[in-house]
Amino acid sequence: MSVQVSMVGYHGCDLKIARDVASGVVAHLKPSKNKYDWLGHGIYFWEDDCARAHDWAKIVRDHPARFHNSVKFPFVVGALIESKNCLDLTQTESREMLRKVYEETAWAYKTLGWPLPENKPTDTDDAYLRRRELDCLICNTVNQLAREGLHSPFDVIRAPFLEGDSLYEGSAFMDKTHTQICVCDPSCIKGYFIPAEFRDQLR
């Protein structure tokens, strides 16, 4: 399923990283390669949600033992993303592709006698299975198959996530619902910028 799409993403990080990337001192943000990444390995952004990216940077600052990266001064850098081949999991065909890859992967693991990774909670109160080792494997496998010539590689994987508490009693709207972007190919990032609400903090 090939989808061309333009997106604005926001990445929560330390002030120094944001400054270095936006000024061109560093070409790109460092890709995440955790085995539990929700959409596989790549550079992660919150789509059209600068405030959520900033909140994430604060979480990393406040819980350094839980993360590989450190944040001293929570900040945000934005990115203009032009995807030529996006695996967009808001669309039926993309979800069916992921399901098919899962079925083939599960069969291969069973044949080899390997245990298939599982999505797991981070603690007893985690109803969202935030350690997504199975989903990470399947998303990575999609592009592994591409490298083997079975389909065109995806430069971006995009998906919405319902997360958090109800906005109000009886509501199905969640207070941490967001759309996550995983950039697999950094060449589709056309430029970085400092969001307007953060520019005064650079002075």
Side-chain angles (χ1 to χ4, degrees):
M1 175 73 183
S2 176
V3 179
Q4 295 188 24
V5 61
S6 298
M7 296 164 280
V8 176
Y10 295 94
H11 182 87
C13 58
D14 188 75
L15 167 62
K16 183 180 185 305
I17 292 174
R19 180 190 287 122
D20 287 349
V21 172
S23 65
V25 172
V26 176
H28 284 292
L29 292 164
K30 184 179 178 181
S32 179
K33 294 185 178 181
N34 300 308
K35 64 180 181 179
Y36 51 79
D37 289 332
W38 288 21
L39 297 174
H41 298 164
I43 303 173
Y44 275 78
F45 297 92
W46 308 89
E47 184 173 357
D48 293 325
D49 200 339
C50 184
R52 189 67 195 280
H54 194 212
D55 287 343
W56 176 255
K58 293 175 185 176
I59 290 172
V60 176
R61 176 198 62 190
D62 296 341
H63 301 89
R66 288 167 48 185
F67 301 97
H68 299 298
N69 299 325
S70 63
V71 170
K72 294 182 179 179
F73 194 100
F75 210 78
V76 175
V77 62
L80 303 176
I81 303 165
E82 295 284 346
S83 172
K84 294 182 179 179
N85 193 19
C86 176
L87 182 65
D88 188 344
L89 296 176
T90 67
Q91 300 196 6
T92 299
E93 289 183 56
S94 293
R95 294 192 298 272
E96 287 302 316
M97 173 181 282
L98 212 64
R99 189 202 309 271
K100 182 178 179 181
V101 170
Y102 162 76
E103 291 171 350
E104 293 172 351
T105 302
W107 177 85
Y109 269 61
K110 183 177 181 180
T111 300
L112 294 168
W114 297 349
L116 193 66
E118 298 178 354
N119 293 338
K120 301 175 183 177
T122 55
D123 53 53
T124 55
D125 295 327
D126 179 10
Y128 303 99
L129 304 178
R130 290 185 175 91
R131 294 189 66 86
R132 304 217 173 168
E133 296 184 18
L134 175 60
D135 291 345
C136 184
L137 170 68
I138 301 306
C139 288
N140 285 337
T141 301
V142 165
N143 272 334
Q144 178 62 38
L145 292 173
R147 287 188 288 271
E148 295 171 1
L150 300 183
H151 66 76
S152 299
F154 294 104
D155 51 17
V156 169
I157 301 177
R158 174 180 181 267
F161 292 96
L162 296 175
E163 186 183 8
D165 299 321
S166 295
L167 286 178
Y168 46 85
E169 186 176 355
S171 174
F173 298 118
M174 316 301 283
D175 64 355
K176 293 184 179 179
T177 292
H178 64 280
T179 300
Q180 202 165 91
I181 300 168
C182 175
V183 174
C184 309
D185 180 358
S187 69
C188 70
I189 299 175
K190 300 307 177 185
Y192 293 96
F193 64 92
I194 299 298
E197 56 266 47
F198 287 87
R199 290 172 191 162
D200 288 343
Q201 299 180 42
L202 291 176
R203 299 173 184 172

